[in-house]
Amino acid sequence: MTEQLKMDAPATDRRLDGMAQGLVGAPLDRPEGPLKVTGTATYADEYRIENLAHGMLVRAPGNSGRVRLANREAVAAMPGVLAVIHDPRLLRNPAQGTANKAPVQDPNEAHYLGQPVALVVAESFEQARHAAQSLEIALEGGAPRPVDPETAAYEPQPAKGVDQGDLDDAMAKATHSIDVTYRTPSHSSAPMEPHASIAQWEGEDLTLRGSYQMLKYNRNELADALGIHPDRVRILAPYVGGGFGSKLGLAPEAVAAAIAAKETGRPVSVALTRPQVFETTMRRSETRQRVRLTVDPEGRLTGIGQAALVSNLPGEVFSEPVLQATHFLYAGENRRLSLDLARVHRLCAGSVRAPGEAVGITVLECAMDELAEAAGIDPVELRRRNIPEKDPESGKEFSSRRFREALDSGAEAFGWKDRPATRSRREGEWWIGYGMASAARINVLKESRARVTLAPDGTARVETDMTDIGTGTYAILGQIAGEMLGLPRESVEVVLGDTDLPAAAGSGGSWGASSSGTSVYVACQAIRAQLAQRLGVAETDLTLRDGQAVFDNRTESLAAILNGDEIVKEGHVLPGETSKAVRQATFGAYFVEVAVNGVTGETRVRRMHGSFAAGRILNAKTARSQCLGGMIFGIGMALTEEMAFDDRDGHLANHNLAEYHIPVNADVPQITVELLEERDDWASPLQAKGIGELGICGAAGAIVNAIYNATGVRVRDFPATLDKVLAGL
Amino acid sequence: MRPFDYHRGTGIEDATRAAAQGSFIAGGTNLIDLMKLEVMAPERLVDINRIEELRGIEATDGGGLRIGALVSNTDLANDPRVRRHWPVLSRALLSGATQQLRNKATTGGNLLQRTRCLYFYDRAMPCNKRAPGTGCGAMEGVNRILAVLGTSEHCIATHPSDMAVAMMALGAEVEIVRASGATERLPLDDLYLLPGDTPERETVLAPGDLIAAVILPAPVEGRQAYRKVRDRASYAFALVSVAAVVAVEEGRISRADLAFGGLAPKPWRNRDVEAALVGQSPSEALFDRAADILLEDARGHGDNEFKIPLARRVLKAVLADLTTGAAA
Ligand SMILES: Cc1cc2nc3c(=O)[nH]c(=O)nc-3n(C[C@H](O)[C@H](O)[C@H](O)COP(=O)(O)OP(=O)(O)OC[C@H]3O[C@@H](n4cnc5c(N)ncnc54)[C@H](O)[C@@H]3O)c2cc1C
Ligand code: SF4
């Protein structure tokens, strides 16, 4: 039944190119789109379940001390209150992506302000919220905690770094060099749908309707947190209103809802309020990055240094992988990359919107802009001259890389040749400038499974616990199955988001589409093989299209071939040798025009272009939308987004969307996206790589570089808010 | 949200009587948010939305407008008379919040919206305005959006309204019906109190006192501008804003009605600034002098220090715009 593919060798047969249905790559609409825009797609907390009770989490008002519920009895006696829960299994920290086991638990001691320490359950949401707000949390015996990453103790992360050649020597000998320090603040994932879970027990079996990105891991995390067997847990998440990393791992509401449902004997919903989304789910770590770059007289990099400081709570293993793509983006024989992890009592740091590259490449690309200026070389040209032949650290070949083409084609499409000299173009009050940056993101394939059923009537069903977090999974899995089986898109049903279905890779790290797509492909291949066998032809001689099989100059309908039978196959893909044999990554380039107000320092992005190469594009529309989203968050990162922490107690001060500024429509200009044709045989048999995060991996750098070109002001402290620009105007 | 009584006001008298122990609710766009957080917890809500006398925009005998307290921000911004004669008000309104919020937000509610100070919104934090005597969390904390003028050692909150800044520059008055039934007209400037030792007291209104209307005086000669500086292009409160009505006659400034947002605990008007400008020929030196007077007592608290030079730049740019041919 199960067909397995371990990706040990490149898939040079490129079977998708020979298929006849014409679905893969087509810019098809998302089939569930109408449900979403009409509000009829049911999200986690929208199920009307009989006898549903509501829980509200209660936060620690400080960052240290033993937690005591000072007026527990009084709160328990409030109208509608069913339970006040202070259970040792409540999560202290959310789970890191792919943790696969319970994160840190225990609400008995405060570690950061905002940490969940109790849950109040009541008949109505309003009663629960009021009772939760009435619960007084006393913190006893606390001591001052380090909250500032730049002064806190830190742990070097040698496994993340490299020390090759002699960077100091390169600095001393360089024709041109720069040595600059940048800072990026913490970012919040800010998904549109706040995290919410409804837990329901039947005997010892738990069903959780949640909003999660990686169900197979989430199931294990939830089971482990509750101390039960994973077989007892079913998670349903057919629709997820955005995650951006914050729904990779389990968040506190899921465990709280499960405990409360058990204790009260009723289904319980726990929805996070917007401030709780900010305070109890992952933040991206702030970073301090010192970058040193050296070039020879020809503008070839001789040295690259990037020393990053990031932070997390004590005990958390995640360290923002700032250096991830610096390892291979540019040539340069002397390389010193290092990462230090400071231990602070701010809310938990984890994966948010392209962990690593989003901040690491952004800063590297700002530094490259400074180097281009110092060396008197055009920024695009500087990058072109430094594209390494092979991975400059491991010596491995690149699996595919249309980086140079992205630079050239993007520059052409944008009109880069008209870039003004620094601080030279003015329109009224506004300074106009151009900026560019490279895009780079590692590519990953993960184990994934899917079941495909070809029904006797010649329609198909794809089933997997994969999620669609707004990215287009429903669309592309249907396209892949339709392509392989020769069915119109409408004849393929896609069922997702249910842990009873074959376990998928989940949505994260940009690997969802290629991993789960490959599992569907593998299952379809097996179905094709069986059809071919029935017809007595070689599978490769079989053309499937519009529900018909064409072979040996004959045409027969699938229904006739199936003759009342169904064919069910499970596809199972595993990463293999190709992940290690070559360097796999996606590349691109951003080009931006900004206007900076000469009076106020306000920056407005006027236009933005991105050229990207990410292997085979599975759906030109959803791929473009992913790139647009990334670039828009790039605008936020460049200009407005910043989690503002209070230096005294480390608490997040701006925990709402009124004061944590993600871009609004008026901030977003015309954006154009070019997707370059590419096939990556090493990445997957689809020849597709991940594209979800590529759009943000450097985008903010292009904007800040454009601010420099417009005004001559280098902002090295993100975001480039008007006060920082003004200081140099 | 704490449980509360709900009373639907049937008329002004009924409403003011009922609100003696409670709060009026108009659009609810600010009050409900604060109630959800229990930053505000009235025992009773008196809904004034059905009171017809509070609706409508009427011309006054003096050539001005009487704007009912329930007129929505959207309706006021789009009123043809406002657009023609008081464009600074229309622009200020349209620069605020979002379309959805402006559809709900009312004239009275907008005047009385509370500060956006982050510590005011968080009950785990000290805040003299929310919980008198607990201290001011913002003073040495995150205070980028807070005030540099008119503050006290107890509170540095800003009044966040855009509309009120324009109204202040236009010399608007508020019509108040006291809980006792008495009706009064107050200059808008006199509605607001500075924090001093009692930041919890923001206006001269006592419980049950109702804003019935805002009166705009007759339009005056001059060009008008509302300039709002903010962190993103829309849907953000002002870091600094300037409302201005400026006229030039025979090369000399004959009118300079100016009000400022984002700088102070109330929409800020300083008559000394205006006096320094009127009668003078426009020049950069003159505008600098005006800014000197405006910002003489300005004091930053770290994050928000940038507002002082920013206010100077914006004031000068607005004055330059309105006194030379360029469109505002
Ligand atoms: C996310 C967000 C962004 C915003 N951005 C901006 C912005 O950029 N610029 C801006 O100016 N505003 C902005 N606003 C604020 C908005 O303008 C106010 O919330 C709105 O004007 C309040 O009007 P309301 O009718 O909803 O007031 P309500 O919330 O109903 O009431 C506010 C207060 O006024 C009292 N009140 C209301 N009417 C009367 C009356 N007639 N007499 C006496 N007391 C009364 C209430 O008791 C309450 O205390 C924003 C709001 C939000 C939520
Ligand atoms: S500035 Fe005013 S509102 Fe803000 S914390 Fe201080 S006292 Fe409270």
Side-chain angles (χ1 to χ4, degrees):
Chain A
M1 276 284 286
T2 300
E3 206 56 38
Q4 203 185 68
L5 172 74
K6 187 148 178 283
M7 202 56 200
D8 280 331
T12 48
D13 55 359
R14 301 194 178 174
R15 292 300 308 280
L16 280 174
D17 285 327
M19 296 293 149
Q21 192 64 30
L23 286 178
V24 164
L28 300 188
D29 290 344
R30 295 194 261 153
E32 83 289 6
L35 292 179
K36 288 182 173 169
V37 296
T38 55
T40 42
T42 308
Y43 287 84
D45 202 40
E46 296 178 332
Y47 287 88
R48 296 282 160 263
I49 289 172
E50 215 179 309
N51 206 26
L52 185 67
H54 298 265
M56 178 62 67
L57 287 166
V58 182
R59 78 210 268 237
N63 66 23
S64 92
R66 297 284 303 166
V67 172
R68 191 167 59 81
L69 278 48
N71 60 345
R72 183 175 188 156
E73 283 68 39
V75 169
M78 287 176 71
V81 173
L82 300 168
V84 176
I85 293 172
H86 181 59
D87 186 295
R89 292 170 299 172
L90 287 175
L91 299 193
R92 182 208 293 167
N93 301 347
Q96 298 290 349
T98 72
N100 221 23
K101 59 182 181 6
V104 192
Q105 294 170 279
D106 189 8
N108 279 303
E109 191 176 323
H111 288 261
Y112 59 95
L113 201 154
Q115 173 192 325
V117 291
L119 181 82
V120 180
V121 189
E123 292 289 345
S124 75
F125 173 81
E126 288 75 14
Q127 287 169 330
R129 182 173 57 191
H130 176 48
Q133 283 163 327
S134 305
L135 186 61
E136 285 164 26
I137 304 297
L139 297 177
E140 293 167 347
R145 305 268 213 183
V147 296
D148 172 17
E150 301 216 8
T151 54
Y154 64 86
E155 299 153 14
Q157 308 289 306
K160 300 283 182 72
V162 71
D163 198 349
Q164 185 177 302
D166 187 341
L167 182 64
D168 293 327
D169 184 57
M171 287 291 287
K173 292 185 182 145
T175 315
H176 301 284
S177 67
I178 56 143
D179 180 350
V180 288
T181 298
Y182 278 78
R183 286 178 174 77
T184 62
S186 272
H187 299 130
S188 182
S189 55
M192 196 184 295
E193 180 203 15
H195 302 55
S197 289
I198 296 180
Q200 216 170 350
W201 291 88
E202 253 174 71
E204 297 306 309
D205 292 318
L206 171 66
T207 301
L208 188 102
R209 293 171 199 279
S211 183
Y212 283 102
Q213 296 176 234
M214 297 199 158
L215 302 193
K216 79 172 173 197
Y217 299 102
N218 305 133
R219 166 155 76 169
N220 292 338
E221 289 152 8
L222 182 55
D224 191 25
L226 296 170
I228 62 175
H229 195 277
D231 288 351
R232 297 263 176 221
V233 176
R234 181 181 185 192
I235 300 182
L236 297 171
Y239 300 112
V240 179
F244 307 110
S246 68
K247 297 172 182 170
L248 293 175
L250 207 66
E253 94 294 338
V255 176
I259 294 171
K262 191 80 189 175
E263 189 163 326
T264 60
R266 293 174 58 169
V268 174
S269 140
V270 179
L272 297 187
T273 63
R274 186 56 70 177
Q276 287 172 341
V277 174
F278 274 91
E279 284 188 334
T280 71
T281 73
M282 294 299 173
R283 68 180 168 100
R284 183 207 301 287
S285 172
E286 70 298 308
T287 71
R288 185 188 67 200
Q289 302 179 45
R290 178 184 179 199
V291 183
R292 287 182 288 171
L293 300 172
T294 62
V295 281
D296 67 13
E298 281 75 50
R300 274 181 254 284
L301 281 163
T302 52
I304 296 187
Q306 192 167 12
L309 176 71
V310 301
S311 74
N312 210 339
L313 281 161
E316 286 291 324
V317 293
F318 180 89
S319 56
E320 179 76 19
V322 176
L323 311 167
Q324 203 152 252
T326 307
H327 286 299
F328 60 83
L329 182 57
Y330 296 123
E333 56 277 20
N334 302 294
R335 311 176 75 85
R336 192 186 301 162
L337 311 182
S338 65
L339 185 68
D340 293 328
L341 175 60
R343 295 302 187 180
V344 294
H345 290 259
R346 291 181 175 182
L347 65 97
C348 196
S351 295
V352 173
R353 299 186 215 142
E357 286 90 330
V359 284
I361 293 303
T362 289
V363 166
L364 178 66
E365 288 302 293
C366 288
M368 284 292 278
D369 202 65
E370 298 206 41
L371 181 68
E373 163 112 313
I377 302 174
D378 176 86
V380 175
E381 183 54 29
L382 178 67
R383 286 156 174 94
R384 293 175 90 258
R385 282 185 205 175
N386 287 290
I387 298 175
E389 213 174 295
K390 296 179 180 174
D391 183 308
E393 292 174 16
S394 68
K396 290 175 187 172
E397 301 280 350
F398 286 90
S399 59
S400 66
R401 179 181 48 157
R402 301 198 68 200
F403 180 27
R404 188 184 306 273
E405 292 85 340
L407 288 165
D408 291 347
S409 172
E412 174 70 28
F414 178 81
W416 178 251
K417 63 179 184 337
D418 300 327
R419 183 172 75 124
T422 306
R423 199 180 168 100
S424 70
R425 188 178 297 174
R426 187 144 181 164
E427 294 177 13
E429 277 183 4
W430 297 88
W431 293 102
I432 312 301
Y434 291 5
M436 62 82 51
S438 304
R441 175 75 176 160
I442 54 160
N443 183 62
V444 177
L445 183 77
K446 285 269 185 188
E447 179 176 9
S448 203
R449 294 171 187 263
R451 181 166 60 231
V452 179
T453 303
L454 183 61
D457 64 354
T459 61
R461 192 167 64 247
V462 175
E463 295 168 300
T464 162
D465 84 349
M466 185 60 193
T467 49
D468 186 326
I469 63 170
T471 46
T473 313
Y474 282 106
I476 58 144
L477 296 189
Q479 284 171 272
I480 293 167
E483 187 73 75
M484 293 296 292
L485 300 177
L487 299 174
R489 177 63 189 84
E490 304 72 54
S491 300
V492 184
E493 186 195 0
V494 180
V495 185
L496 302 178
D498 178 349
T499 50
D500 278 359
L501 301 177
S507 302
S510 297
W511 62 59
S514 61
S515 304
S516 70
T518 297
S519 66
V520 171
Y521 169 93
V522 170
C524 290
Q525 270 287 45
I527 293 174
R528 287 177 60 91
Q530 201 161 98
L531 288 171
Q533 199 183 16
R534 285 183 174 227
L535 296 167
V537 296
E539 186 268 324
T540 42
D541 291 339
L542 189 63
T543 301
L544 299 179
R545 186 175 171 177
D546 291 333
Q548 312 275 328
V550 184
F551 57 100
D552 286 351
N553 293 326
R554 283 162 50 203
T555 300
E556 207 167 316
S557 75
L558 285 181
I561 303 169
L562 290 164
N563 192 23
D565 298 337
E566 63 171 19
I567 305 179
V568 186
K569 292 286 177 190
E570 187 170 305
H572 179 198
V573 61
L574 291 158
E577 288 305 314
T578 64
S579 299
K580 297 169 222 151
V582 285
R583 166 59 76 181
Q584 296 186 22
T586 53
F587 297 89
Y590 313 92
F591 295 85
V592 175
E593 177 180 333
V594 300
V596 182
N597 191 283
V599 173
T600 62
E602 290 163 291
T603 298
R604 301 288 177 250
V605 180
R606 285 186 154 189
R607 62 193 177 99
M608 211 168 175
H609 173 80
S611 288
F612 302 105
R616 186 194 301 275
I617 299 302
L618 299 170
N619 176 324
K621 187 173 196 173
T622 56
R624 174 176 175 273
S625 295
Q626 289 292 292
C627 295
L628 289 179
M631 288 161 82
I632 290 168
F633 270 132
I635 297 174
M637 196 170 146
L639 301 179
T640 55
E641 280 184 66
E642 170 167 25
M643 292 175 98
F645 291 97
D646 188 310
D647 297 336
R648 297 164 296 183
D649 56 12
H651 91 273
L652 175 65
N654 57 341
H655 46 47
N656 60 59
L657 290 171
E659 299 300 338
Y660 179 85
H661 289 155
I662 57 170
V664 296
N665 275 331
D667 294 301
V668 180
Q670 199 58 41
I671 302 181
T672 51
V673 172
E674 176 190 26
L675 300 169
L676 298 173
E677 273 289 313
E678 187 176 59
R679 301 280 184 269
D680 194 319
D681 299 334
W682 298 84
S684 68
L686 309 175
Q687 288 82 38
K689 294 184 278 191
I691 199 168
E693 296 161 307
L694 184 56
I696 195 178
C697 297
I703 296 169
V704 172
N705 293 342
I707 292 175
Y708 176 77
N709 178 246
T711 62
V713 181
R714 282 274 178 219
V715 178
R716 298 193 182 94
D717 182 12
F718 283 77
T721 46
L722 58 93
D723 46 314
K724 296 174 196 163
V725 177
L726 207 53
L729 272 183
Chain B
M1 191 180 277
R2 204 175 293 171
F4 55 87
D5 287 338
Y6 173 84
H7 177 85
R8 178 176 289 154
T10 54
I12 289 178
E13 214 191 302
D14 169 65
T16 50
R17 203 177 324 110
Q21 286 96 32
S23 282
F24 298 114
I25 180 159
T29 60
N30 189 224
L31 182 56
I32 299 222
D33 279 0
L34 291 166
M35 285 174 67
K36 284 181 185 168
L37 296 168
E38 298 196 8
V39 170
M40 290 177 78
E43 283 167 23
R44 171 185 283 178
L45 276 192
V46 178
D47 184 348
I48 58 176
N49 284 288
R50 301 282 176 100
I51 304 176
E52 281 309 312
E53 299 105 287
L54 299 177
R55 296 197 174 275
I57 308 174
E58 287 148 34
T60 63
D61 294 342
L65 285 184
R66 181 180 182 280
I67 303 158
L70 284 180
V71 172
S72 75
N73 287 181
T74 298
D75 288 347
L76 184 57
N78 293 336
D79 185 276
R81 293 160 292 185
V82 175
R83 291 176 61 140
R84 183 163 328 120
H85 299 298
W86 297 275
V88 61
L89 177 57
S90 187
R91 285 181 205 149
L93 282 159
L94 293 176
S95 75
T98 61
Q99 184 70 59
Q100 292 93 325
L101 282 160
R102 292 193 297 268
N103 290 344
K104 271 313 258 184
T106 65
T107 304
N110 191 315
L111 290 177
L112 297 182
Q113 63 175 295
R114 312 291 305 273
T115 183
R116 307 304 290 201
C117 173
L118 301 167
Y119 297 78
F120 176 71
Y121 267 76
D122 188 338
R123 289 199 314 148
M125 295 296 135
C127 170
N128 288 325
K129 188 186 279 299
R130 174 173 33 76
T134 54
C136 172
M139 194 82 69
E140 286 168 18
V142 178
N143 58 35
R144 172 177 169 78
I145 60 175
L146 298 187
V148 295
L149 287 168
T151 58
S152 75
E153 58 183 309
H154 303 292
C155 180
I156 57 171
T158 33
H159 191 275
S161 171
D162 291 298
M163 178 194 83
V165 177
M167 286 178 171
M168 190 76 100
L170 292 170
E173 294 181 316
V174 278
E175 190 182 300
I176 294 166
V177 181
R178 296 282 188 185
S180 62
T183 301
E184 275 174 45
R185 264 165 79 157
L186 278 183
L188 183 56
D189 211 359
D190 296 346
L191 174 68
Y192 298 106
L193 301 172
L194 289 176
D197 295 334
T198 53
E200 72 280 11
R201 293 194 55 217
E202 295 172 352
T203 70
V204 298
L205 301 180
D209 290 355
L210 179 79
I211 294 181
V214 172
I215 317 288
L216 290 187
V220 294
E221 282 301 305
R223 300 172 60 192
Q224 306 186 10
Y226 187 74
R227 182 149 184 180
K228 175 174 176 176
V229 183
R230 49 186 148 176
D231 277 328
R232 58 183 173 191
S234 174
Y235 200 25
F237 290 92
L239 293 169
V240 171
S241 73
V242 181
V245 183
V246 176
V248 181
E249 272 172 40
E250 292 168 12
R252 287 179 187 277
I253 295 173
S254 57
R255 169 182 295 278
D257 299 344
L258 301 168
F260 302 86
L263 293 179
K266 58 188 267 190
W268 193 253
R269 190 161 179 179
N270 180 339
R271 306 276 171 172
D272 295 343
V273 176
E274 301 171 20
L277 290 164
V278 171
Q280 307 295 316
S281 331
S283 71
E284 185 166 3
L286 177 70
F287 301 159
D288 261 317
R289 202 149 66 239
D292 288 342
I293 297 170
L294 173 71
L295 299 167
E296 200 177 335
D297 298 325
R299 188 168 156 241
H301 296 85
D303 288 355
N304 70 349
E305 270 159 23
F306 73 96
K307 286 188 173 187
I308 300 171
L310 179 62
R312 171 180 298 272
R313 296 172 79 105
V314 179
L315 171 61
K316 286 173 63 183
V318 167
L319 289 172
D321 267 352
L322 295 183
T323 55
T324 57

